[in-house]
Amino acid sequence: MALAHPELPDPTAARAIGRALLQIGAVRFSPDAPFTWSSGIRSPIYCDNRLTLSYPEVRNLIRQAFVGRIQAHYPEARALAGVATGAIAMGMLVADTLGLPYLYVRPKAKDHGLGNQVEGRIDPHTPTVVIEDLVSTGGSSLEAVRALRHERADVLGLIAIFTYGFEHTWKAFAQEGLTLTPLCDLATLLEVAETDGLLVPSVIASIRAWGQDPEGWQG
């Protein structure tokens, strides 16, 4: 049974990753001019983890956090799958470090060629861990999991660099029978921002309120 509220595997590592994301500008705050997601949700925060690939120290920090989590909690894993497009490169780095087969999952099947949604080769019932860069509502991540299960992969769990930690996201993963483990989350990120004096208390309070009720948040 999936955990409703999985704990971060290492709070110290989570703070280090959060600080790194802030330092390289992968996370931006804009409560006065919110970003708009494709779902229509207005967000005071934007996280672009693709930027981590441009910073060797940061990408290695995240790579090692993935490796540590997999070795400690999924030693039976025999393959890794990255979710396109943001997690393809990081997933490959992790798979290479662990010496495991690797594949990736498209948002939808190609409309030409072989029509694949899952790219790469996986034998039926292979224990597989899914790698994500960001989990917001969880919809695209869970669609990737379903595609892997359609190929008869045994999906053990999903590990993401970052999640906003919405209540309905945890529930969606639990209903799918899957554990979501973030290496860093919004609560940790705001803790680091507050400690480092990057945000004033009123802004932190506003973003925390958004995290509790993103659809009803008024800014």
Side-chain angles (χ1 to χ4, degrees), residues 4-5 136-137 164-173 211-214:
H5 289 278
S136 52
T137 62
Y164 297 106
F166 300 143
E167 182 69 24
H168 59 267
T169 301
W170 299 123
K171 290 180 179 178
F173 273 81
Q212 292 296 316
D213 183 15

Side-chain angles (χ1 to χ4, degrees), residues 60 63-64 67 71 80 90-100:
N60 286 332
R63 174 179 58 85
Q64 284 304 126
V67 168
Q71 289 177 330
L80 299 184
M90 182 57 69
M92 186 172 63
L93 290 173
V94 177
D96 190 58
T97 301
L98 291 170
L100 290 176

Side-chain angles (χ1 to χ4, degrees), residues 14-24 29 188-201 204 208:
R15 286 191 288 270
I17 291 171
R19 182 165 284 111
L21 294 178
L22 290 166
Q23 288 175 343
I24 66 172
F29 301 106
T188 304
L189 191 76
L190 291 178
E191 174 192 329
V192 171
E194 186 173 27
T195 299
D196 293 358
L198 301 177
L199 296 173
V200 298
I204 291 175
R208 283 178 176 150

Side-chain angles (χ1 to χ4, degrees), residues 141-182:
S141 302
L142 290 174
E143 179 59 35
V145 169
R146 295 183 192 109
L148 288 165
R149 286 175 170 169
H150 181 74
E151 298 294 326
R152 295 189 290 169
D154 178 12
V155 180
L156 303 176
L158 185 146
I159 309 175
I161 297 174
F162 184 80
T163 184
Y164 297 106
F166 300 143
E167 182 69 24
H168 59 267
T169 301
W170 299 123
K171 290 180 179 178
F173 273 81
Q175 289 170 359
E176 197 72 28
L178 192 72
T179 297
L180 163 64
T181 300

Side-chain angles (χ1 to χ4, degrees), residues 30-52:
S30 184
D32 294 329
F35 306 97
T36 301
W37 294 353
S38 59
S39 62
I41 291 177
R42 296 167 61 251
S43 171
I45 178 175
Y46 186 83
C47 185
D48 181 5
N49 290 322
R50 292 174 179 82
L51 284 178
T52 62

